[in-house]
Each structure stands twice: as C-alpha cells, then as structure tokens.
Amino acid sequence: MVFRHPQQHGLHRHEPYLAKFLGSLDVLAEQKRSILSDTVLTESQKQENLDGLNLPGTSAKLEDLCVFFQFTPSSKVYGYTEFDLKPGGQHIPLSLQNIEEYCDLSRSFCLDTGIRRQMEAFKGGFNTVFSLSHVKMFTPQEFRLLLCGEMSPDWSRDDLLEYTEPKFGYTRESQAS
C-alpha cells in the first residue's frame, strides 16, 4: 500500500526528490502504525518488528541516514543553507518515534511557512494589477487558464491563418519551402 499525503501532489511538482523521500517515510510510518496497532503481537514482538523496519526498497535503517529536523534547500539562492523545522532542529535526529512530525513539518515548510514571504509579495503585487476581490468569481481552473493560457492548444491550419499576422515580407499567400 502506498500512502499519499494530501499535500504530496503539490510538493511533487516543486520538490520531486523531497516528495519521493517523504513518500517513502510515509510508507515507513504506516508500517510502524500497523505494527503498533497489531493486537496479536506482544510488546517485545512489536519492538522486534519495529527494529527490523528499513526504508522501503532499501536495507537502510532510518537512523543510518543521519537526517535531522532541518530543511536544506537545493540551492543557496534562497539565502540560507539550512532551516530548523522546529527549535533546535539541528540536534533532533529523524527516527521512527518522530517520523510523522518530520514529514508534516517538512511539507508545511515547503508549501506554507517557507514560502509565505514570497507568496505575500506576489499577492501584493498581483493585487495592484488585478483586485483579489475579483478573483473569487473564477473557479481555480478558470483562473489558471486566465493566468497561464491554454497549456496545450490544438491549432488547426485555419486557426493559424486567422489569428496570426505574416511579417518580414511574407503574406498569407506565401508558399512554404
């Protein structure tokens, strides 16, 4: 079973490697929850099963990755080399005990808190051109079309002739060579 976090899709488009890593952690967290909720297993059997968990598709233990509660951007263009996901994050190693919190904080940083300043600046600039109060009249799909245009237009020969203006010595009657 592959567990998909609701924010996974948005993250996948912007940070595909992080999204894949967090998806693997989600699978591991689900395996942990399954073991802990198994009423047939004794506490020692549960601990033994938890100790045997590896990152999906590998033989690596989670603790062997040496990941801490920090976000490390893929580029220095962001103005920092790492950001603590919670106070003291550089000293908090990722483990099975805190895996869900790490995933939640990482997604929250990438899709909310870490980009809030940029989003507020975009919103302010956009609002000077087109009042945000008018945006409510569009569905998300209509608004995307308004901003981005048709992503895969289906142009016919007639459309090209009707909506383009030949230049640089060419006319509508010019022959293609």
Side-chain angles (χ1 to χ4, degrees), residues 116-144:
R116 188 169 290 144
R117 268 188 28 222
Q118 293 92 331
M119 292 304 295
E120 291 300 322
F122 175 81
K123 188 172 142 183
F126 189 86
N127 195 39
T128 62
V129 177
F130 187 86
S131 174
L132 291 175
S133 63
H134 293 111
V135 171
K136 295 175 186 172
M137 72 174 126
F138 298 103
T139 66
Q141 294 79 11
E142 290 170 332
F143 191 63
R144 180 177 180 197

Side-chain angles (χ1 to χ4, degrees), residues 18-37:
L18 178 61
K20 183 176 180 181
F21 176 66
L22 292 176
S24 293
L25 294 182
D26 288 334
V27 170
L28 194 59
E30 180 57 36
Q31 291 171 344
K32 174 188 105 168
R33 285 189 294 274
S34 177
I35 291 168
L36 292 175
S37 66

